[in-house]
Every structure is written in structure tokens, then in C-alpha cells.
Amino acid sequence: MTLKLTVPNMACSACANNITNAVKAVDANATIQADPETKFVSVETQASEATIKDALAAAGYPVA
């Protein structure tokens, strides 16, 4: 499943790395593309959308 998410708090490449790590913590096989300029995150994952959103919120990057 591919999720298209908007993460307003993502400001830089370090934020994108933190987001990637947060998703990988719940799905090690996930494919993540995070773009700080557009604030969009694309996640290809087997985990549920709620699980991914919870992981991002816990990392300090709540989904809009």
C-alpha cells in the first residue's frame, strides 16, 4: 500500500531522515520518499496507515 502524507513540521533533510527512521522502526521493508520542500512523504508499506501516522507523531512529525 502506498500512503501519500503531508508533514508540515518537516523542514530539512535531517527531518526527512528522522521520518524515514521512524517509519523503518515499524516496517523495516518500507520504501520512503520524504521531500522537505513540498512537505510530502510517500510511504510504500505493509503496515497500516494508522501505525505509520502514530510512528510519525511519536517522532515529532504529526501528519496534517
Side-chain angles (χ1 to χ4, degrees), residues 6-12 15-16 19 36 39 56-57 59-64:
T6 301
V7 182
N9 292 353
M10 180 173 41
C12 61
C15 296
I19 287 168
K39 312 286 190 206
L56 293 178
Y61 299 97
V63 175

Side-chain angles (χ1 to χ4, degrees), residues 8-60:
N9 292 353
M10 180 173 41
C12 61
S13 61
C15 296
N17 287 339
N18 291 339
I19 287 168
T20 298
N21 292 338
V23 173
K24 291 279 191 183
V26 294
D27 181 358
N29 297 320
T31 302
I32 303 104
Q33 292 178 324
D35 185 348
E37 289 186 20
T38 62
K39 312 286 190 206
F40 284 120
V41 178
S42 175
V43 181
E44 178 67 37
T45 181
Q46 298 303 313
S48 71
E49 182 172 352
T51 299
I52 298 298
K53 287 182 175 181
D54 288 347
L56 293 178

